[in-house]
Amino acid sequence: MKNVLFLITCFIASSCLSQKNQSLFQDQNKFTKQDTLRGSITPEREWWDLTYYHLDIKVQPEEKFISGKNTIQYTVLKENNTLQVDLQSPLQITKVTQNNKELEVEHQGNAHFIKLQEKQNIGEVKTIDVYYEGKPKEAVNAPWDGGLSWKKDKNNNHFIATSCQRLGASVWWPNKDHMYDEVDSMLISVTNPKGLTNISNGRLRDLVVNKDNTVTSHWFVSNPINNYGVNINIGDYVHFSEVYAGEKGDLDMDYFVLRDNLEKAKKHFKDAPKMIEAFEHWFGPYPFYEDGFKLVEAPYLGMEHQSSITYGNKYKKGYLGNDLSGTGEGLKFDFIIIHESGHEWFANNITNKDIADMWIHESFTAYSENLFLDYHFGKESSAKYVIGTRRAILNDKPIIGAYHVNNEGSSDMYYKGANMLHTLRQLVEDDEKWRQILRGLNQEFYHQTVNTEQIENYLSKHTGIDLTAFFNQYLRDVRIPTLEYKIEDSELKFRWTNIVIDFDMPIQIKLNGIEQWIYPNKDWKSLKLQQNKTDVVLDEDFYIKTKLVTW
């Protein structure tokens, strides 16, 4: 079980204590120029707005080789003649053209600076073609150490997939590899050996059988999509489907699995429509009706590729058959179907601008596991589950990472983040109001990239609570707020310790079996008791520590 807990908390990157949107103790020496080129909105990125990609590639499994081009369409926002495109070694850019004229490219590691010859007039729509080829990085431990997975199924057919959240999409195709600017739409054309099928994002526009014993599939994505959400999956796939009557009408739900797993998948994937039902209730309509919803079997655990969720949980309940909460509640659903699909709302619909704010993806999505249980199995089941996941919390470093250097925060963005949101639900004290707040988030920031400040401000406004200290405590500090209390002279005395400035979160307790709120802060407060002998029980739904003071 320790290995399972390690896997789910292994998105650990260097970070440091931070205040609102700024790091207090950044050791800038640990970040390189490449980190800055990848993680910041450079002058060579900010002047153009990405509008359309056509990724057109050939995949050669025997050679583990990719070649092709990406056509990049953009709108000029300000005058500039140098454009940054990212592509990671050992892949190489072989040529860049604009209007059939070859352009000079300056290579700085994984960042490539294209010298444009034509005047870039504000408001104009331009395109460049970036040609590339090579043997991309092979995934060592997908999806955490990603790249290309070149595997074989048990029938010795090629079984290939991409995964690149941490590394970035530029590990396998050239693009503007920063989260802040999502492409508006995209065509993905993949040529692969005949007898194998490629499944990518969006809807299949065309399938062409070529004379050289290959086939080319053309998948079109009509919604904005983040770069790491783009994927290819090549294998001996078979297909089945259903139509879900959702909030915005009929939603096409398609499933692509290895041939030998068809009957197993038809039974096991029943969690998928249950997921849509629960998450449309809590979060609002599925954000990509136009592109449909797909589950695609992959040779690794899974990933939240937009409208093309990859699945590798071995057709087991829980996380590879294990319950991450240790309560039994986690065995009531397939972890990968629920968690990765939850990212359609938080990661794919609402996307962080900077990876330092990756908690926006992972905290809400880890919390969605709890809400799935709440919808289908009840509030007690969901609370038991999310409280149980606290055993995975490390409190090693802040949840928010360092900005502008492609740096994630602590893996606590998962279950510390989920418990933070579960705590906030208690403060709201109105489950229908809380549901409307979550739905409102997905409406307010529909198909947008956002930062932590926007999410904090939205939640403060719509809960009616100033959550500044609350988020400073849980997102930017490693300490768990501790409620110290004692009974003295017929009084219950209490205060918060291990807290940030101005932390004064109220909390529910039971005094002799009767629920009531108390309002601690950093100073001792007291509550008059009706009798000397008092049974004090703290509400477990709040993610805090307690300490009975006996002196």
Side-chain angles (χ1 to χ4, degrees), residues 162 168 403 459:
T162 55
Y403 288 93
L459 290 172

Side-chain angles (χ1 to χ4, degrees), residues 64 136-143 145-152 158-163 232 234 298-300:
K64 297 183 178 180
K137 178 187 179 299
E138 189 165 351
V140 177
N141 183 28
D145 187 359
L148 263 288
S149 295
W150 306 95
K151 303 293 184 180
K152 295 281 187 78
H158 287 288
F159 191 22
I160 302 162
T162 55
S163 57
I232 60 173
I234 299 172
Y300 58 84

Side-chain angles (χ1 to χ4, degrees), residues 50-105:
L50 181 59
T51 57
Y52 177 75
Y53 284 135
H54 179 197
L55 179 63
D56 187 0
I57 62 173
K58 183 176 183 179
V59 180
Q60 298 169 248
E62 294 295 336
E63 296 81 11
K64 297 183 178 180
F65 192 85
I66 290 181
S67 59
K69 68 172 179 175
N70 188 22
T71 298
I72 302 174
Q73 183 189 86
Y74 61 93
T75 301
V76 179
L77 301 179
K78 61 172 74 170
E79 291 187 9
N80 200 314
N81 276 83
T82 303
L83 183 150
Q84 179 181 340
V85 167
D86 304 284
L87 183 68
Q88 297 181 34
S89 176
L91 293 173
Q92 293 184 330
I93 292 176
T94 57
K95 181 173 66 172
V96 179
T97 63
Q98 186 165 65
N99 291 329
N100 298 315
K101 295 179 182 177
E102 189 165 348
L103 304 175
E104 178 188 347
V105 183

Side-chain angles (χ1 to χ4, degrees), residues 423-437:
T423 300
L424 183 53
R425 178 182 182 177
Q426 315 314 310
L427 297 178
V428 172
E429 281 194 280
D430 182 333
D431 286 347
E432 180 56 26
K433 180 180 180 180
W434 179 235
R435 184 172 82 97
Q436 293 304 326
I437 287 170

Side-chain angles (χ1 to χ4, degrees), residues 413-473:
M413 68 179 77
Y414 290 85
Y415 290 122
K416 183 176 180 179
N419 276 279
M420 172 188 74
L421 293 171
H422 185 64
T423 300
L424 183 53
R425 178 182 182 177
Q426 315 314 310
L427 297 178
V428 172
E429 281 194 280
D430 182 333
D431 286 347
E432 180 56 26
K433 180 180 180 180
W434 179 235
R435 184 172 82 97
Q436 293 304 326
I437 287 170
L438 295 175
R439 289 172 65 91
L441 266 174
N442 280 277
Q443 184 176 14
E444 178 86 6
F445 302 112
Y446 182 73
H447 291 178
Q448 292 183 35
T449 60
V450 301
N451 58 35
T452 290
E453 185 176 10
Q454 289 173 277
I455 301 298
E456 288 185 11
N457 289 343
Y458 176 91
L459 290 172
S460 285
K461 176 181 177 181
H462 290 274
T463 60
I465 305 168
D466 183 351
L467 295 171
T468 303
F470 177 87
F471 285 119
N472 283 340
Q473 182 75 49

